[in-house]
Amino acid sequence: MEILNSTNTLIINALGPLGPMILLGTVGLIMVAVTAIMMLNQPEDPMAKLKRSVQSPTSGKEPQQRLRQGERNEQLQKFASFLEPKDVAELSKKQLQLRQAGYQSQDAVRMFHFAQFTLGILGMIGAFVYLILLDGGQGFSSNKMMVYFIVPCFCGYYLPTYWITRRIEERKEQITQGFPDSLDMMLVCVEAGQSLDQSIVRVARELHASYPALAQEFDIVAYEMKAGKDKVTVLKDMGERCGVQDVSSFVTVLIQSATFGTSIADALRVYAGEMRDKRVMRAEEAANKLPTKMTLATMMLTVPPLLIILIGPSAHGITQLGNMGGP
């Protein structure tokens, strides 16, 4: 016990009140780094090597174009047990969330959790450098030092979640804005004699410049249909992947039209008209909200200068009279 007490005293004298915690954190980071390096340096599985050699094109030939990402990241594959949720439902939910944000890669979930882990560690390292190495924490109490260590780590860990949430909202807004135009173009293509598959391909090609998110969704639908996937399943996946009510309703209309054998052109014409009216209603709603939003800004920027102009001269005159009547 005396040896432990003396060691603890030396650490506190050298690193401050949080010396033991800082030392343990540093040892933990070193162990994590060593473990990561050892796992990265593991010999490659012979079966994986054989599979890659079979799938990869031979030397001297042009690289093959694949519809999807052919191979997963081998470096992240080694940490799959740490970077992917064990629960299948939770994994599917996270994959859907990342697809709604526009990340269609097979490694999207792993990259997300890797970014969370990396940014959390970087936040802790930044706090350690500022507080300990640069002496930015001089005079801080133990609780304050703890807060300064935890807050950067917490912010770094939840930064990817905030980024994904913003991406989902922006992508949904872009899909909502461009969906009426895409229906009009699809209606023109169908009435010109093209099939639904050909119309989707053409609309996706035309929308890439103005609405890339919506064009990407139509591209995925076209590729899946070309691959032989059931059309109803493809359309349902699109509605779930977009997360927009207008798209889900459009998918329901197409499925019902195919089920009951009605004309797709008539269904598109009616639904496209509804989407145009809905877009006009959203614009009118935004215009009606504008006066309410401008009220606070108008009061803050107009009323104080007006009061200064009206009351300022009177207040100045009263001040001057008070000074003249003084002793």
Side-chain angles (χ1 to χ4, degrees):
M1 291 299 295
E2 293 181 359
I3 297 176
L4 294 177
N5 291 332
S6 61
T7 304
N8 190 25
T9 304
L10 291 175
I11 294 174
I12 292 175
N13 293 333
L15 301 178
L18 294 178
M21 186 177 299
I22 295 172
L23 185 61
L24 289 176
T26 305
V27 172
L29 290 175
I30 293 174
M31 292 178 64
V32 169
V34 171
T35 304
I37 293 173
M38 292 177 62
M39 294 185 69
L40 290 175
N41 290 332
Q42 288 181 354
E44 187 178 4
D45 187 6
M47 293 299 297
K49 191 174 184 180
L50 179 61
K51 182 179 178 181
R52 189 178 70 252
S53 63
V54 171
Q55 292 181 350
S56 62
T58 58
S59 59
K61 294 184 179 181
E62 295 181 358
Q64 299 176 355
Q65 294 182 353
R66 294 187 177 92
L67 179 62
R68 299 183 60 189
Q69 193 176 12
E71 295 181 358
R72 311 190 78 171
N73 192 309
E74 294 297 334
Q75 305 298 332
L76 294 179
Q77 180 70 25
K78 300 177 181 180
F79 301 98
S81 58
F82 302 99
L83 298 178
E84 285 187 355
K86 300 295 184 183
D87 188 10
V88 178
E90 184 179 356
L91 178 60
S92 301
K93 182 180 179 180
K94 182 59 66 176
Q95 287 177 342
L96 177 60
Q97 185 181 14
L98 292 173
R99 286 173 182 170
Q100 290 178 347
Y103 299 105
Q104 308 290 340
S105 172
Q106 298 180 21
D107 293 323
V109 178
R110 298 178 184 178
M111 290 297 298
F112 174 78
H113 289 290
F114 177 74
Q116 282 189 318
F117 176 77
T118 303
L119 291 176
I121 295 297
L122 289 178
M124 185 179 297
I125 292 175
F128 175 80
V129 171
Y130 173 74
L131 295 175
I132 305 302
L133 300 182
L134 300 180
D135 294 332
Q138 286 185 349
F140 287 180
S141 62
S142 300
N143 293 335
K144 196 170 184 180
M145 290 280 286
M146 183 71 67
V147 170
Y148 271 74
F149 266 100
I150 293 177
V151 169
C153 180
F154 181 84
C155 293
Y157 183 80
Y158 281 98
L159 184 61
T161 303
Y162 172 76
W163 171 259
I164 293 298
T165 304
R166 289 292 303 273
R167 284 271 301 179
I168 291 175
E169 295 300 326
E170 292 176 0
R171 202 163 184 271
K172 286 183 178 180
E173 180 65 23
Q174 186 181 135
I175 291 174
T176 303
Q177 292 294 331
F179 194 60
D181 295 336
S182 68
L183 290 181
D184 290 335
M185 286 189 286
M186 190 177 299
L187 176 61
V188 172
C189 294
V190 171
E191 289 183 341
Q194 292 184 343
S195 65
L196 181 61
D197 301 357
Q198 295 172 340
S199 302
I200 290 175
V201 173
R202 183 58 185 267
V203 169
R205 185 165 64 248
E206 296 293 336
L207 288 178
H208 268 291
S210 54
Y211 303 104
L214 186 58
Q216 183 185 18
E217 294 298 332
F218 279 123
D219 278 334
I220 295 174
V221 171
Y223 290 149
E224 289 181 345
M225 286 183 178
K226 288 180 181 179
K229 195 173 181 179
D230 182 53
K231 185 179 298 185
V232 175
T233 305
V234 171
L235 294 175
K236 287 183 179 179
D237 290 343
M238 178 186 176
E240 185 179 7
R241 193 169 55 246
C242 291
V244 178
Q245 183 62 36
D246 295 342
V247 180
S248 300
S249 302
F250 167 71
V251 168
T252 304
V253 169
L254 290 184
I255 292 175
Q256 290 179 350
S257 177
T259 302
F260 296 108
T262 58
S263 174
I264 295 180
D266 294 338
L268 284 174
R269 187 179 299 107
V270 174
Y271 196 75
E274 292 180 358
M275 288 297 100
R276 285 195 299 270
D277 295 339
K278 196 172 182 179
R279 181 167 58 181
V280 173
M281 292 173 59
R282 282 197 297 265
E284 292 176 350
E285 182 182 359
N288 293 331
K289 289 180 179 178
L290 189 60
T292 305
K293 294 180 179 179
M294 292 180 62
T295 301
L296 183 60
T298 304
M299 293 178 60
M300 294 179 61
L301 299 177
T302 305
V303 175
L306 186 62
L307 292 177
I308 293 174
I309 294 172
L310 296 177
I311 303 177
S314 301
H316 180 70
I318 294 172
T319 305
Q320 293 296 326
L321 291 175
N323 293 334
M324 292 174 62

